[in-house]
Amino acid sequence: MKKIICAAILIIGFLSNSKAQIKKKDIVAKTPTNQLAKGKILYAKHCVVCHQADGGGVMGLNPPLIKTDYVLGDQKRLINIILKGLDKEIEIDGETYANPMPGLSHLSDQEVADVLSYIRNNFGNKASIISPAQVKVIRASKTK
Ligand code: HEC
């Protein structure tokens, strides 16, 4: 009898453990890794022509995205750059950039979040992930 109970406990243990594993997999599918992979594809489609594959930009024309205050700093400002573009003289690494960047407001909240999370965690950058919910709030607000 004891043996049967032992076996039953083992089986239950095994079953609940495998269930836990499935759950873990589901979670992995939704983690930033997936967001970053999508961001990489979006970067290649929407940003690479100007900011280049290594994020180094083109000197005097398009600024680099490597450890700049814009990429790593204020998330609201960063989200707005994608939604509304940027048209002012800025200085990065001692170089002045004055060309305008067009807004890319046709990108969805998810796409903006993905591409920004990608640039914030690439080219030697390390910063928090940006969520679609954050983009949604900023898109809806009128302030810059
Ligand atoms: C047509 C060229 C072009 C495209 C496409 C473009 N940018 Fe830009 N980007 C610029 C220019 C030019 C500036 C500087 C604007 C200024 O000086 O006002 C800039 C500025 C920036 C900045 C702030 C400055 C810095 O270097 O940190 C960020 C961040 C940025 N772009 C990210 C992106 C991302 C992400 C994409 C794609 C979703 C993108 N850009 C697409 C040309 C472009």
Side-chain angles (χ1 to χ4, degrees):
M1 185 61 184
K2 258 192 187 163
K3 265 189 190 162
I4 294 173
I5 293 171
C6 267
I9 290 172
L10 271 179
I11 290 169
I12 291 167
F14 175 75
L15 284 179
S16 55
N17 193 31
S18 60
K19 247 191 208 161
Q21 270 173 1
I22 290 170
K23 268 196 195 138
K24 229 190 207 168
K25 250 196 217 157
D26 280 353
I27 293 164
V28 168
K30 288 177 196 146
T31 52
T33 324
N34 192 30
Q35 208 183 350
L36 297 185
K38 288 195 177 139
K40 187 176 182 174
I41 296 167
L42 290 162
Y43 183 83
K45 199 168 164 191
H46 302 285
C47 326
V48 81
V49 280
C50 295
H51 292 287
Q52 305 298 296
D54 64 354
V58 180
M59 205 181 258
L61 290 176
N62 308 311
L65 303 176
I66 303 167
K67 295 183 180 158
T68 72
D69 190 40
Y70 292 92
V71 174
L72 299 175
D74 185 1
Q75 303 186 3
K76 188 177 169 193
R77 179 175 65 179
L78 181 59
I79 292 168
N80 265 328
I81 290 177
I82 305 305
L83 294 178
K84 298 177 180 159
L86 192 66
D87 190 4
K88 62 174 192 176
E89 201 172 286
I90 59 171
E91 199 190 302
I92 288 172
D93 297 337
E95 190 74 25
T96 305
Y97 296 89
N99 267 354
M101 167 172 156
L104 295 159
S105 60
H106 58 280
L107 296 181
S108 69
D109 294 342
Q110 182 74 56
E111 287 172 326
V112 173
D114 290 354
V115 79
L116 289 181
S117 298
Y118 171 74
I119 65 164
R120 279 162 69 85
N121 290 281
N122 226 282
F123 321 132
N125 298 331
K126 190 93 202 101
S128 61
I129 295 296
I130 289 182
S131 72
Q134 279 172 280
V135 180
K136 192 175 177 189
V137 169
I138 290 168
R139 198 192 290 267
S141 79
K142 296 268 183 288
T143 54
K144 254 224 168 179

